[in-house]
Amino acid sequence: MHKITYNHISKAANDFVDHVENRRIGKNKSLKTSSKKFNNSILDGLDWNRILTVAGTSGSGKSMIAEQFKRDFVDLNPDVKFKILSFEFEMLAMDQVARSVSGKTGLSTKKLYSGQNYKISPTQLENIKKQAEKVSDYPIYTVDHICNVAQIQQTIFEFIENEKIAEKEKKIVITIDHLLLTQGKEGQMEKQVIDDLCKMLVGMKKILKDVYNIDVIIIMLSQLNRQIESMERVMNPKVHYPTKNDLFGSSYIYQASDYVLITHNPSEIEGIERYGPPRGTEYPLGLPKMNPKNKEEPMIYWHLIKSRFGMKEIMMMVGKFAESKIVDF
């Protein structure tokens, strides 16, 4: 157990000035993603020692976003050294690799696995192997076993010790989907598990920075409750947009997170023809649910409903699910 310490406020003041200077000279950079809209909405990308919660209903692309961000962190920030520990409770790690290769090749997972009478050509196979080799060099480590909160905490500390993060990279990205932690639990028991996880992650963020001098980014995937799909809300465009009350186990998740991004796919909700109330002369009937430039692609809306250092915002995105990615509109 780490030793509890206390510090004079002057230490925080000095740390703040050092951080400002390091940001000024480019020594302490945010991790950029492939979404310019997302980067610009926060701090030129996802900054260190923050917790980002990505929430959404089934089919809104939240797990895809986590995989996309992991690829982006590695591909778009080659001068920043870090390792990623990803708790993959739902999908096999092999299928997560398939998503990464899909995003790089433009081939859907069905095509990669030769489904629907599609057969990979020899040329495509060589490209797939090439991209898989690149992915195999990523500094990503996965945990496929279902864990409880205490086991997650223990695994993080063991990973940091075994990989010598404090001596080498001094930076770590942790991704975790809390949904399978709550399977079989209902009501207050379910909420308690989420609260315990959030409290642990907040404590983890502070301990890693203050005690081990390790910068950390934590991405937590969460769910929306079913109220957002109720007929009452579907019929009233003024309440189409998600709020913090739609978060599953909302109170502590919202409080614990530095950023809360809700990804929403109106095309998956029966009864919605246009999304939200009128928005100026460009969208007098509300926002489109399908891409106006390609009617086969759904519009995905990223609602940044909490940002400690910026404004709340709605980002218009396009779901290219066959390619395992979501892109700026």
Side-chain angles (χ1 to χ4, degrees):
M1 181 179 293
H2 69 280
K3 182 179 179 181
I4 301 298
T5 60
Y6 55 87
N7 297 293
H8 188 263
I9 189 65
S10 58
K11 180 182 183 303
N14 291 333
D15 289 344
F16 162 71
V17 172
D18 288 344
H19 183 64
V20 169
E21 173 63 6
N22 288 332
R23 292 282 306 187
R24 185 184 74 86
I25 64 178
K27 184 178 179 181
N28 194 350
K29 300 179 180 179
S30 300
L31 291 185
K32 292 187 180 299
T33 74
S34 54
S35 170
K36 291 182 180 180
K37 289 183 178 181
F38 180 74
N39 295 340
N40 293 338
S41 69
I42 47 177
L43 201 62
D44 300 325
L46 195 52
D47 44 322
W48 293 95
N49 305 309
R50 310 298 178 206
I51 296 176
L52 165 67
T53 290
V54 179
T57 58
S58 178
S60 60
K62 56 184 180 297
S63 60
M64 188 178 295
I65 291 170
E67 290 304 306
Q68 182 173 320
F69 279 7
K70 286 189 289 185
R71 296 194 304 268
D72 291 345
F73 291 162
V74 177
D75 292 339
L76 303 180
N77 303 275
D79 57 335
V80 183
K81 302 303 179 185
F82 57 91
K83 287 183 177 176
I84 300 174
L85 180 62
S86 187
F87 290 85
E88 306 286 0
F89 295 157
E90 188 171 13
M91 294 182 67
L92 292 174
M94 181 183 72
D95 291 332
Q96 298 290 16
V97 171
R99 276 188 168 178
S100 294
V101 173
S102 172
K104 291 176 175 295
T105 62
L107 294 170
S108 68
T109 303
K110 287 183 179 179
K111 289 183 177 180
L112 289 174
Y113 290 158
S114 295
Q116 294 183 326
N117 298 319
Y118 186 90
K119 187 175 181 180
I120 295 294
S121 71
T123 301
Q124 288 173 323
L125 181 59
E126 287 306 310
N127 189 28
I128 290 168
K129 289 180 178 179
K130 180 180 177 181
Q131 298 303 330
E133 287 177 4
K134 289 183 179 179
V135 172
S136 68
D137 289 332
Y138 281 8
I140 298 176
Y141 300 76
T142 61
V143 179
D144 287 325
H145 302 286
I146 295 177
C147 311
N148 58 36
V149 173
Q151 289 170 327
I152 291 171
Q153 182 181 42
Q154 179 183 356
T155 302
I156 293 172
F157 280 121
E158 287 180 354
F159 177 80
I160 288 170
E161 181 179 356
N162 294 339
E163 296 299 319
K164 301 187 184 303
I165 302 295
E167 292 82 19
K168 295 180 180 179
E169 295 85 0
K170 297 185 181 299
K171 295 181 185 294
I172 182 175
V173 176
I174 300 168
T175 69
I176 182 169
D177 186 340
H178 79 64
L179 294 181
L180 292 187
L181 288 172
T182 59
Q183 279 194 350
K185 299 178 175 61
E186 296 180 358
Q188 189 59 38
M189 288 180 61
E190 195 172 24
K191 184 179 184 301
Q192 188 62 53
V193 172
I194 297 173
D195 287 354
D196 290 345
L197 176 65
C198 290
K199 291 174 184 176
M200 185 275 286
L201 293 177
V202 170
M204 177 72 64
K205 179 181 73 169
K206 293 185 176 183
I207 290 170
L208 291 184
K209 183 61 178 175
D210 295 341
V211 178
Y212 296 91
N213 196 29
I214 294 174
D215 290 320
V216 61
I217 289 173
I218 298 171
I219 299 177
M220 181 170 61
L221 303 186
S222 186
Q223 188 122 341
L224 299 185
N225 57 47
R226 302 293 296 185
Q227 182 185 357
I228 198 165
E229 299 183 41
S230 68
M231 187 54 61
E232 180 182 358
R233 291 184 67 167
V234 168
M235 298 302 293
N236 184 358
K238 292 182 179 180
V239 290
H240 281 179
Y241 298 164
T243 70
K244 67 178 182 179
N245 294 327
D246 294 308
L247 289 170
F248 188 74
S250 62
S251 58
Y252 209 87
I253 288 178
Y254 189 85
Q255 179 182 343
S257 303
D258 298 289
Y259 303 109
V260 177
L261 181 71
I262 296 181
T263 178
H264 203 33
N265 181 359
S267 71
E268 288 288 305
I269 300 179
E270 186 176 354
I272 288 184
E273 296 302 324
R274 302 289 290 190
Y275 183 50
R279 295 180 69 89
T281 57
E282 188 172 7
Y283 301 108
L285 301 177
L287 296 170
K289 69 175 184 178
M290 303 304 292
N291 182 0
K293 301 175 183 177
N294 183 346
K295 298 297 184 181
E296 299 298 315
E297 297 175 335
M299 292 295 296
I300 306 296
Y301 294 93
W302 286 3
H303 295 259
L304 187 65
I305 66 167
K306 181 180 181 181
S307 175
R308 290 199 191 277
F309 312 103
M311 300 289 290
K312 297 180 180 180
E313 191 173 345
I314 300 176
M315 291 163 261
M316 298 178 69
M317 313 294 289
V318 176
K320 294 185 176 291
F321 292 153
E323 301 173 27
S324 297
K325 59 186 178 183
I326 296 173
V327 302
D328 290 354
F329 174 71

